Amino acid sequence: MAPGALLQEHDTRTAPPVSKAAPAESNFTIPSPFPNLVSTDYPDFRAELAENGFAIIKGAIPRERAVGYQEKAYEWIKSFPGDLDMNDPETWVEKNLPMTNSIKAYAYYCVSHEKFFWDARQELGVLGAFAKLWGTDELLVSFDAMNLTFPNRKDVPRRPTWEHIDQSPMRRGVHCVQGLMALSPSGPEDGGLVVFPGSHKLNEEFFDTQTTRESWLPMKDVHVFSREQLDWFAARGVHPHKVCLEVGDMVMWDSRTIHYGSEPTEKSSQIRTALYATYVPASLASADQLELKRQAFESYSSTTHWPHQYIVARPNVVYLPDGSRDPRNRDGPLERPEMTDKLLKLAGVIPY
């Protein structure tokens, strides 16, 4: 099936109820507003999401265009002061690179609103997969980050793994499905997404038996697992799996699935390039969150992976570790996107 065909194809089972969930005071948890979102009964990637907690959409972006987006990503990172040469590992050092966020992804300097990023978000194969998932073409997208990881850097230590989920223990069932578009190959030795297949099925049992409710507060949509906690999953047959992708593939995963971004091994020479994007039905967003989203869009700010709530704009004014203002700060993207109705609807700026 051609990737774009997903955008038009819907069956009678693809329209889950979309209601705004509220905390259930009686049991301290928030039920999923999408109880029938994924099921092994579906004859497509939704069955994989239900069974494994992740699914790969092959060729979501045509290879030629994905390669073009990577070239634009390279242009972006080379546009900063320094002597960065994408073909010379000796130049892959901190002084030649802009600052990353806490997970070593690029979320500042207006990168989330570069034209190539918005063009990738609007690819038919990408939109089509999320349209099939949610049962609607009327979607909002996150203003998420870009991953551009240089292998075997000599100036920084290897980052320890941080196995985590992006959903609060208070949330039960499916609340969010995240997405990552691969602009470079991701083989066994390359940097990329590592998931723990099946861990989403044990989410409630783990938090109800291995943690306390007090530890869930304040409600934060992240939980980082300790080695001891990962051993609990391992005893139940849940182990890490490196997701291997080809250029133009997209991986989607349930936010309850334990995952992390792996570093390239010493055998890899691949510069990892990937774009994160999550989509949800626009009908889920409240007026106040849409206003915050509009403000983030107009200031070219990035946000989190949530497209419709917890909209907190990451500042574009970046400060260096010594407290001084980063001279690389920007007021706008290097190449601004075309402000079409389609883009503005995905951004939540105009209604469907």
Side-chain angles (χ1 to χ4, degrees):
M1 177 185 296
L6 288 174
L7 191 59
Q8 286 79 33
E9 180 188 345
H10 298 292
D11 59 49
T12 57
R13 298 170 297 167
T14 62
V18 285
S19 59
K20 294 184 175 67
E25 296 297 338
S26 59
N27 61 11
F28 200 69
T29 58
I30 305 170
S32 169
F34 316 107
N36 302 315
L37 187 68
V38 294
S39 168
T40 54
D41 293 335
Y42 289 125
D44 52 41
F45 69 90
R46 289 169 292 178
E48 296 177 47
L49 270 174
E51 179 63 26
N52 300 319
F54 77 102
I56 297 172
I57 311 299
K58 298 297 295 180
I61 303 175
R63 179 182 175 84
E64 182 178 350
R65 287 207 292 273
V67 169
Y69 296 147
Q70 184 188 49
E71 291 173 351
K72 286 293 184 180
Y74 283 5
E75 287 179 16
W76 179 84
I77 201 166
K78 289 190 297 182
S79 69
F80 293 91
D83 298 315
L84 180 65
D85 183 339
M86 306 303 284
N87 298 309
D88 182 1
E90 296 299 323
T91 69
W92 302 348
V93 293
E94 187 174 4
K95 69 176 183 177
N96 292 332
L97 298 169
M99 286 186 62
T100 57
N101 63 12
S102 60
I103 62 171
K104 303 304 179 182
Y106 291 102
Y108 309 122
Y109 314 102
C110 310
V111 67
S112 300
H113 299 280
E114 288 288 341
K115 183 179 186 299
F116 75 86
F117 208 146
W118 270 109
D119 288 348
R121 289 185 182 112
Q122 297 176 81
E123 285 284 346
L124 287 181
V126 174
L127 287 175
F130 279 97
K132 177 179 276 286
L133 174 70
W134 298 115
T136 178
D137 297 334
E138 298 184 352
L139 301 169
L140 295 177
V141 68
S142 59
F143 305 154
D144 220 319
M146 174 177 73
N147 191 303
L148 208 160
T149 301
F150 293 89
N152 301 312
R153 284 179 57 182
K154 300 177 177 61
D155 64 321
V156 292
R158 293 183 66 84
R159 182 164 57 96
T161 60
W162 65 298
E163 295 86 347
H164 68 285
I165 59 172
D166 293 303
Q167 183 168 306
S168 166
M170 295 177 67
R171 300 188 190 282
R172 298 305 168 97
V174 181
H175 282 260
C176 185
V177 174
Q178 296 165 251
L180 178 153
M181 296 171 272
L183 305 184
S184 62
S186 181
E189 305 294 339
D190 301 324
L193 181 69
V194 175
V195 297
F196 285 64
S199 56
H200 64 304
K201 296 180 181 179
L202 297 171
N203 181 272
E204 294 185 20
E205 180 185 352
F206 170 78
F207 284 109
D208 287 342
T209 65
Q210 304 300 307
T211 65
T212 63
R213 288 188 171 185
E214 288 73 21
S215 69
W216 304 354
L217 297 173
M219 191 178 83
K220 295 178 66 176
D221 283 297
V222 65
H223 177 86
V224 180
F225 293 86
S226 66
R227 181 53 50 190
E228 181 182 22
Q229 291 174 336
L230 291 173
D231 288 342
W232 184 91
F233 284 91
R236 287 154 181 79
V238 174
H239 304 283
H241 166 76
K242 172 64 166 57
V243 179
C244 293
L245 303 170
E246 296 178 315
V247 175
D249 291 347
M250 177 173 70
V251 59
M252 303 165 68
W253 69 96
D254 186 323
S255 289
R256 298 172 298 166
T257 303
I258 301 174
H259 63 282
Y260 68 92
S262 68
E263 295 266 334
T265 74
E266 293 181 356
K267 297 179 181 179
S268 176
S269 60
Q270 179 63 57
I271 300 174
R272 183 195 181 197
T273 317
L275 305 176
Y276 298 96
T278 300
Y279 302 73
V280 300
S283 59
L284 294 181
S286 64
D288 62 327
Q289 291 297 296
L290 285 173
E291 173 59 20
L292 292 173
K293 193 173 181 72
R294 181 191 64 78
Q295 293 175 15
F297 178 80
E298 292 182 350
S299 63
Y300 299 113
S301 300
S302 66
T303 58
T304 69
H305 71 278
W306 291 94
H308 67 298
Q309 54 188 4
Y310 318 116
I311 306 297
V312 178
R314 295 188 177 105
N316 276 324
V317 178
V318 181
Y319 291 89
L320 300 176
D322 64 5
S324 64
R325 187 183 175 101
D326 190 340
R328 297 167 294 195
N329 286 327
R330 292 178 173 174
D331 296 326
L334 195 65
E335 186 177 3
R336 286 171 168 78
E338 183 182 355
M339 299 297 179
T340 63
D341 282 357
K342 180 180 180 181
L343 184 153
L344 294 172
K345 288 175 180 178
L346 284 169
V349 175
I350 64 175
Y352 282 93

